[in-house]
Amino acid sequence: MADCPNLNVGADLPVLDTRLAINLMAVFAAIGWAVASIVYYLPVSSSTRATAASIRDHALFAMVLAGTGSAIGELARYALNQAVGYIGVEKALDPKIMYDFNRGSATIAGTILAFFAGAMAVAPVLPVIGTILGFVVGVIYAPAVAILGTLMVMAAMNTVGYFILANSMLIIFPIGLALFATPGKIAKGLGAFLMSLALVSYIALPIAPYIVASMMSVTAGGGINPNELATLLDNICQKASSSLDINVFLNLINPLGWYGDLMKWLIAVAASSFLLTLILAAARALSHSLGGVSASL
């Protein structure tokens, strides 16, 4: 089996950069303003004039947004620092921690399930040990197989979501700004959603490990320690890596210890899945407040 994953618990998150989009936003806003102003004063119907006025107002808002784009990035950084201070920790964490944790969880869960399947296949050919091994895997650890299957699927889905968010939030923010400013509000909905998703991810991902660790209740006195995520995953990984020592792997002497780690592991993965859903829901709500997302999206 590969080495156990090493979660990086410290990183400085750069400010959301809008320089790539400001010039394009200014051009889009100018075009929208000019065209809408011309149409507004033409001898057209009242509905067309109202549409032109709406497009012109949107172009004006896009101009303001282009001028305050950098301030929005700094405001997001300030909100992140306030959130970190509110939960009582020293600094924000690497936004890729949740991706690394779920990727490692899916890999390790798959490895353990493969070992269980191999043990059940080998058990019939072993005279005495095979009977014991088959009983242990088939009876004592039967619930663990079901839990591991659920855990592996959830972790794999979380991995995809957290990978997209952690690696794209700095890029989709200026893209969203540019799309939001497109003349005629053609791509306003998509632009607002990308902006909102980047802002919510920027604030939520660096504090998500603290929230997951708190929900696991793994530290004394109810404290919050994201290192427990790495410790828990390492404990499970070490058990899965000890395939040559069946007693160590299956923890025959203390199965409650194995199930205790397994339940905490399941809670951590389920909590990260819940947080991922909240991030998407918050992004949708923020986008809707900007007038850029429909209920179907």
Side-chain angles (χ1 to χ4, degrees), residues 81 83-92 207 210 224-226:
N81 292 334
V84 170
Y86 178 77
I87 61 178
V89 295
E90 296 181 357
K91 62 179 299 184
I207 62 175
Y210 290 116
I224 301 175
N225 182 8

Side-chain angles (χ1 to χ4, degrees), residues 7-9 13 80 83-84 87 89 91-102 158 161-162 165-166 169 200-218 224-230 267-280:
L7 302 188
N8 180 19
V9 296
L13 196 62
L80 174 59
V84 170
I87 61 178
V89 295
K91 62 179 299 184
L93 302 177
D94 190 335
K96 294 183 180 180
I97 287 181
M98 296 311 302
Y99 158 70
D100 291 334
F101 175 75
N102 283 279
N158 293 343
Y162 281 113
L165 295 181
M169 63 181 180
V200 173
S201 299
Y202 184 86
I203 298 173
L205 290 184
I207 62 175
Y210 290 116
I211 299 175
V212 173
S214 177
M215 295 177 71
M216 289 167 60
S217 300
V218 293
I224 301 175
N225 182 8
N227 292 309
E228 292 294 343
L229 293 177
I267 291 173
V269 173
S272 63
S273 180
F274 177 70
L275 288 177
L276 182 61
T277 303
L278 285 184
I279 290 173
L280 296 177

Side-chain angles (χ1 to χ4, degrees), residues 9 22 29 31 46 69 74 102 134 158 161 180 234 241 248 250 259 265 278 283 291:
V9 296
I22 290 178
I31 294 174
S46 58
E74 291 293 341
N102 283 279
N158 293 343
F180 186 82
D234 185 67
S241 300
V248 174
L250 296 178
Y259 273 103
W265 190 16
L278 285 184

Side-chain angles (χ1 to χ4, degrees), residues 243-291:
S243 56
L244 296 179
D245 190 345
I246 297 177
N247 287 328
V248 174
F249 177 71
L250 296 178
N251 201 5
L252 296 176
I253 300 177
N254 183 20
L256 293 180
W258 168 262
Y259 273 103
D261 286 342
L262 186 61
M263 292 308 300
K264 288 192 295 184
W265 190 16
L266 179 62
I267 291 173
V269 173
S272 63
S273 180
F274 177 70
L275 288 177
L276 182 61
T277 303
L278 285 184
I279 290 173
L280 296 177
R284 178 182 175 276
L286 179 59
S287 177
H288 186 72
S289 68
L290 295 174

Side-chain angles (χ1 to χ4, degrees), residues 15-16 71-81 173 198-199 202-203:
V15 179
L16 292 174
I72 295 175
E74 291 293 341
L75 182 62
R77 185 62 172 265
Y78 174 78
L80 174 59
N81 292 334
F173 182 67
L199 288 171
Y202 184 86
I203 298 173

Side-chain angles (χ1 to χ4, degrees), residues 125-212:
V125 301
L126 300 177
V128 179
I129 299 179
T131 303
I132 299 175
L133 184 60
F135 174 79
V136 170
V137 176
V139 179
I140 299 179
Y141 289 100
V145 174
I147 294 174
L148 285 167
T150 303
L151 192 151
M152 182 178 66
V153 173
M154 291 177 60
M157 296 177 62
N158 293 343
T159 299
V160 176
Y162 281 113
F163 176 81
I164 294 174
L165 295 181
N167 289 279
S168 66
M169 63 181 180
L170 298 179
I171 301 175
I172 63 175
F173 182 67
I175 294 176
L177 286 171
L179 292 176
F180 186 82
T182 51
K185 303 187 288 186
I186 299 174
K188 177 185 176 183
L190 179 60
F193 181 73
L194 293 179
M195 288 168 50
S196 302
L197 186 61
L199 288 171
V200 173
S201 299
Y202 184 86
I203 298 173
L205 290 184
I207 62 175
Y210 290 116
I211 299 175
V212 173

